[in-house]
Amino acid sequence: SSDYKLAYSRFNDLELAMGCECKAAAGILRSCKKAKAQECCILGSAIPNMIGVDYHDIQHELSEAGIQSIYCDCNGFEAAQVGISDTLLMIGKEMLTACEPDNTRVNILGYSDLSFGSPSVLHTGVDQLEKHGLKVEYFGDGGFEGVRHATSAVLNWVVSAEGIALAEHFHKSYGIPYV
């Protein structure tokens, strides 16, 4: 999952308290331009949530500049695992669309650098699945387009508690089983 880029816009406390939506949007746009990205996820945090930052205004600014974005309503007051789980589920509910089944595709759900560090801890399992002719996809790799096609999988492999809610959504909405 080397395609992920973590970036943040820098601004000071005064700008934050005085309304930073335009500055945050400008910082995100610079990061997207530098990374040649046309899409991004916006994650909230504690202080901006406490003072009422308008994340939807930031999304609007990005949209006008041609950047597709999803706002993940993280408040910064819960453990990372809760935020990851909620974010994965929200992305799934917003972006998944029904696709033709690919009888060789298996999705990995719940992987994150916060949970595992390097994806190398999963290589043995991935190698075994690939040895049996299956294509393994980490949910989220391939950007928004990759997420849209995740429902073509015949199985979801949940590798952490963070992926359970999303796996249940896949199962309930698309009939895709999970282990």
PDB file of all heavy atoms in Angstrom, residues 143-162:
ATOM      1  N   GLY A 143      -6.796   3.944  -5.115  1.00  0.00           N
ATOM      2  CA  GLY A 143      -7.595   5.152  -4.929  1.00  0.00           C
ATOM      3  C   GLY A 143      -9.083   4.894  -4.942  1.00  0.00           C
ATOM      4  O   GLY A 143      -9.553   3.786  -4.686  1.00  0.00           O
ATOM      5  N   PHE A 144      -9.828   5.938  -5.229  1.00  0.00           N
ATOM      6  CA  PHE A 144     -11.288   5.852  -5.206  1.00  0.00           C
ATOM      7  C   PHE A 144     -11.789   4.839  -6.231  1.00  0.00           C
ATOM      8  O   PHE A 144     -12.751   4.124  -5.983  1.00  0.00           O
ATOM      9  CB  PHE A 144     -11.918   7.214  -5.483  1.00  0.00           C
ATOM     10  CG  PHE A 144     -11.777   8.206  -4.349  1.00  0.00           C
ATOM     11  CD1 PHE A 144     -11.099   7.904  -3.173  1.00  0.00           C
ATOM     12  CD2 PHE A 144     -12.328   9.462  -4.456  1.00  0.00           C
ATOM     13  CE1 PHE A 144     -10.970   8.815  -2.149  1.00  0.00           C
ATOM     14  CE2 PHE A 144     -12.220  10.389  -3.433  1.00  0.00           C
ATOM     15  CZ  PHE A 144     -11.544  10.062  -2.280  1.00  0.00           C
ATOM     16  N   GLU A 145     -11.133   4.779  -7.380  1.00  0.00           N
ATOM     17  CA  GLU A 145     -11.568   3.837  -8.428  1.00  0.00           C
ATOM     18  C   GLU A 145     -11.406   2.392  -7.946  1.00  0.00           C
ATOM     19  O   GLU A 145     -12.265   1.550  -8.181  1.00  0.00           O
ATOM     20  CB  GLU A 145     -10.796   4.081  -9.724  1.00  0.00           C
ATOM     21  CG  GLU A 145     -11.414   3.442 -10.931  1.00  0.00           C
ATOM     22  CD  GLU A 145     -12.837   3.911 -11.215  1.00  0.00           C
ATOM     23  OE1 GLU A 145     -13.204   5.062 -10.908  1.00  0.00           O
ATOM     24  OE2 GLU A 145     -13.606   3.086 -11.751  1.00  0.00           O
ATOM     25  N   GLY A 146     -10.312   2.105  -7.264  1.00  0.00           N
ATOM     26  CA  GLY A 146     -10.108   0.771  -6.708  1.00  0.00           C
ATOM     27  C   GLY A 146     -11.172   0.409  -5.688  1.00  0.00           C
ATOM     28  O   GLY A 146     -11.650  -0.731  -5.639  1.00  0.00           O
ATOM     29  N   VAL A 147     -11.568   1.373  -4.875  1.00  0.00           N
ATOM     30  CA  VAL A 147     -12.628   1.140  -3.886  1.00  0.00           C
ATOM     31  C   VAL A 147     -13.936   0.815  -4.589  1.00  0.00           C
ATOM     32  O   VAL A 147     -14.652  -0.106  -4.194  1.00  0.00           O
ATOM     33  CB  VAL A 147     -12.790   2.361  -2.951  1.00  0.00           C
ATOM     34  CG1 VAL A 147     -14.060   2.263  -2.128  1.00  0.00           C
ATOM     35  CG2 VAL A 147     -11.580   2.498  -2.041  1.00  0.00           C
ATOM     36  N   ARG A 148     -14.248   1.557  -5.644  1.00  0.00           N
ATOM     37  CA  ARG A 148     -15.509   1.330  -6.360  1.00  0.00           C
ATOM     38  C   ARG A 148     -15.620  -0.100  -6.890  1.00  0.00           C
ATOM     39  O   ARG A 148     -16.707  -0.635  -7.009  1.00  0.00           O
ATOM     40  CB  ARG A 148     -15.645   2.322  -7.503  1.00  0.00           C
ATOM     41  CG  ARG A 148     -15.976   3.713  -7.042  1.00  0.00           C
ATOM     42  CD  ARG A 148     -16.240   4.646  -8.229  1.00  0.00           C
ATOM     43  NE  ARG A 148     -16.287   6.007  -7.756  1.00  0.00           N
ATOM     44  CZ  ARG A 148     -15.270   6.861  -7.808  1.00  0.00           C
ATOM     45  NH1 ARG A 148     -14.124   6.509  -8.345  1.00  0.00           N
ATOM     46  NH2 ARG A 148     -15.397   8.081  -7.342  1.00  0.00           N
ATOM     47  N   HIS A 149     -14.487  -0.721  -7.220  1.00  0.00           N
ATOM     48  CA  HIS A 149     -14.510  -2.066  -7.802  1.00  0.00           C
ATOM     49  C   HIS A 149     -14.285  -3.171  -6.773  1.00  0.00           C
ATOM     50  O   HIS A 149     -14.222  -4.348  -7.134  1.00  0.00           O
ATOM     51  CB  HIS A 149     -13.468  -2.166  -8.920  1.00  0.00           C
ATOM     52  CG  HIS A 149     -13.790  -1.281 -10.072  1.00  0.00           C
ATOM     53  ND1 HIS A 149     -14.820  -1.537 -10.943  1.00  0.00           N
ATOM     54  CD2 HIS A 149     -13.242  -0.110 -10.473  1.00  0.00           C
ATOM     55  CE1 HIS A 149     -14.885  -0.575 -11.832  1.00  0.00           C
ATOM     56  NE2 HIS A 149     -13.940   0.317 -11.569  1.00  0.00           N
ATOM     57  N   ALA A 150     -14.207  -2.817  -5.511  1.00  0.00           N
ATOM     58  CA  ALA A 150     -13.935  -3.814  -4.470  1.00  0.00           C
ATOM     59  C   ALA A 150     -15.062  -4.830  -4.325  1.00  0.00           C
ATOM     60  O   ALA A 150     -14.838  -5.938  -3.831  1.00  0.00           O
ATOM     61  CB  ALA A 150     -13.668  -3.122  -3.134  1.00  0.00           C
ATOM     62  N   THR A 151     -16.267  -4.493  -4.783  1.00  0.00           N
ATOM     63  CA  THR A 151     -17.385  -5.437  -4.657  1.00  0.00           C
ATOM     64  C   THR A 151     -17.305  -6.579  -5.662  1.00  0.00           C
ATOM     65  O   THR A 151     -18.151  -7.466  -5.646  1.00  0.00           O
ATOM     66  CB  THR A 151     -18.742  -4.720  -4.812  1.00  0.00           C
ATOM     67  OG1 THR A 151     -18.802  -4.113  -6.101  1.00  0.00           O
ATOM     68  CG2 THR A 151     -18.947  -3.694  -3.711  1.00  0.00           C
ATOM     69  N   SER A 152     -16.289  -6.585  -6.507  1.00  0.00           N
ATOM     70  CA  SER A 152     -16.122  -7.713  -7.432  1.00  0.00           C
ATOM     71  C   SER A 152     -15.482  -8.915  -6.729  1.00  0.00           C
ATOM     72  O   SER A 152     -15.457 -10.014  -7.280  1.00  0.00           O
ATOM     73  CB  SER A 152     -15.277  -7.302  -8.642  1.00  0.00           C
ATOM     74  OG  SER A 152     -13.947  -7.019  -8.255  1.00  0.00           O
ATOM     75  N   ALA A 153     -14.991  -8.716  -5.512  1.00  0.00           N
ATOM     76  CA  ALA A 153     -14.315  -9.805  -4.784  1.00  0.00           C
ATOM     77  C   ALA A 153     -15.289 -10.928  -4.425  1.00  0.00           C
ATOM     78  O   ALA A 153     -16.484 -10.705  -4.236  1.00  0.00           O
ATOM     79  CB  ALA A 153     -13.670  -9.256  -3.507  1.00  0.00           C
ATOM     80  N   VAL A 154     -14.737 -12.127  -4.310  1.00  0.00           N
ATOM     81  CA  VAL A 154     -15.541 -13.269  -3.866  1.00  0.00           C
ATOM     82  C   VAL A 154     -15.370 -13.527  -2.375  1.00  0.00           C
ATOM     83  O   VAL A 154     -16.126 -14.292  -1.786  1.00  0.00           O
ATOM     84  CB  VAL A 154     -15.207 -14.546  -4.665  1.00  0.00           C
ATOM     85  CG1 VAL A 154     -15.628 -14.392  -6.119  1.00  0.00           C
ATOM     86  CG2 VAL A 154     -13.741 -14.915  -4.551  1.00  0.00           C
ATOM     87  N   LEU A 155     -14.375 -12.873  -1.773  1.00  0.00           N
ATOM     88  CA  LEU A 155     -14.112 -13.060  -0.351  1.00  0.00           C
ATOM     89  C   LEU A 155     -13.386 -11.833   0.182  1.00  0.00           C
ATOM     90  O   LEU A 155     -12.558 -11.244  -0.500  1.00  0.00           O
ATOM     91  CB  LEU A 155     -13.230 -14.300  -0.121  1.00  0.00           C
ATOM     92  CG  LEU A 155     -12.842 -14.622   1.315  1.00  0.00           C
ATOM     93  CD1 LEU A 155     -14.061 -15.062   2.123  1.00  0.00           C
ATOM     94  CD2 LEU A 155     -11.752 -15.685   1.342  1.00  0.00           C
ATOM     95  N   ASN A 156     -13.717 -11.465   1.426  1.00  0.00           N
ATOM     96  CA  ASN A 156     -12.980 -10.421   2.131  1.00  0.00           C
ATOM     97  C   ASN A 156     -12.226 -11.055   3.286  1.00  0.00           C
ATOM     98  O   ASN A 156     -12.810 -11.782   4.091  1.00  0.00           O
ATOM     99  CB  ASN A 156     -13.934  -9.339   2.660  1.00  0.00           C
ATOM    100  CG  ASN A 156     -14.438  -8.448   1.561  1.00  0.00           C
ATOM    101  OD1 ASN A 156     -13.692  -8.040   0.692  1.00  0.00           O
ATOM    102  ND2 ASN A 156     -15.724  -8.148   1.592  1.00  0.00           N
ATOM    103  N   TRP A 157     -10.935 -10.799   3.333  1.00  0.00           N
ATOM    104  CA  TRP A 157     -10.079 -11.293   4.410  1.00  0.00           C
ATOM    105  C   TRP A 157      -9.893 -10.130   5.373  1.00  0.00           C
ATOM    106  O   TRP A 157      -9.256  -9.132   5.047  1.00  0.00           O
ATOM    107  CB  TRP A 157      -8.757 -11.766   3.834  1.00  0.00           C
ATOM    108  CG  TRP A 157      -7.723 -12.200   4.823  1.00  0.00           C
ATOM    109  CD1 TRP A 157      -7.921 -12.585   6.121  1.00  0.00           C
ATOM    110  CD2 TRP A 157      -6.321 -12.304   4.590  1.00  0.00           C
ATOM    111  NE1 TRP A 157      -6.726 -12.927   6.703  1.00  0.00           N
ATOM    112  CE2 TRP A 157      -5.726 -12.759   5.792  1.00  0.00           C
ATOM    113  CE3 TRP A 157      -5.504 -12.057   3.506  1.00  0.00           C
ATOM    114  CZ2 TRP A 157      -4.359 -12.968   5.919  1.00  0.00           C
ATOM    115  CZ3 TRP A 157      -4.147 -12.270   3.631  1.00  0.00           C
ATOM    116  CH2 TRP A 157      -3.575 -12.734   4.822  1.00  0.00           C
ATOM    117  N   VAL A 158     -10.471 -10.231   6.558  1.00  0.00           N
ATOM    118  CA  VAL A 158     -10.390  -9.176   7.566  1.00  0.00           C
ATOM    119  C   VAL A 158      -9.167  -9.451   8.431  1.00  0.00           C
ATOM    120  O   VAL A 158      -9.081 -10.494   9.080  1.00  0.00           O
ATOM    121  CB  VAL A 158     -11.668  -9.128   8.435  1.00  0.00           C
ATOM    122  CG1 VAL A 158     -11.583  -8.010   9.453  1.00  0.00           C
ATOM    123  CG2 VAL A 158     -12.901  -8.963   7.556  1.00  0.00           C
ATOM    124  N   VAL A 159      -8.224  -8.498   8.449  1.00  0.00           N
ATOM    125  CA  VAL A 159      -6.961  -8.726   9.134  1.00  0.00           C
ATOM    126  C   VAL A 159      -6.845  -7.970  10.454  1.00  0.00           C
ATOM    127  O   VAL A 159      -5.834  -8.085  11.141  1.00  0.00           O
ATOM    128  CB  VAL A 159      -5.760  -8.382   8.215  1.00  0.00           C
ATOM    129  CG1 VAL A 159      -5.741  -9.314   7.008  1.00  0.00           C
ATOM    130  CG2 VAL A 159      -5.778  -6.922   7.785  1.00  0.00           C
ATOM    131  N   SER A 160      -7.883  -7.197  10.808  1.00  0.00           N
ATOM    132  CA  SER A 160      -7.882  -6.498  12.092  1.00  0.00           C
ATOM    133  C   SER A 160      -9.317  -6.149  12.459  1.00  0.00           C
ATOM    134  O   SER A 160     -10.217  -6.168  11.602  1.00  0.00           O
ATOM    135  CB  SER A 160      -7.046  -5.215  12.028  1.00  0.00           C
ATOM    136  OG  SER A 160      -7.714  -4.236  11.260  1.00  0.00           O
ATOM    137  N   ALA A 161      -9.515  -5.809  13.721  1.00  0.00           N
ATOM    138  CA  ALA A 161     -10.849  -5.413  14.187  1.00  0.00           C
ATOM    139  C   ALA A 161     -11.364  -4.203  13.412  1.00  0.00           C
ATOM    140  O   ALA A 161     -12.577  -4.048  13.234  1.00  0.00           O
ATOM    141  CB  ALA A 161     -10.803  -5.118  15.681  1.00  0.00           C
ATOM    142  N   GLU A 162     -10.450  -3.367  12.925  1.00  0.00           N
ATOM    143  CA  GLU A 162     -10.846  -2.168  12.194  1.00  0.00           C
ATOM    144  C   GLU A 162     -11.616  -2.490  10.916  1.00  0.00           C
ATOM    145  O   GLU A 162     -12.372  -1.669  10.423  1.00  0.00           O
ATOM    146  CB  GLU A 162      -9.627  -1.306  11.840  1.00  0.00           C
ATOM    147  CG  GLU A 162      -8.983  -0.638  13.028  1.00  0.00           C
ATOM    148  CD  GLU A 162      -7.852  -1.456  13.641  1.00  0.00           C
ATOM    149  OE1 GLU A 162      -7.923  -2.700  13.646  1.00  0.00           O
ATOM    150  OE2 GLU A 162      -6.896  -0.840  14.125  1.00  0.00           O
TER     151      GLU A 162
END
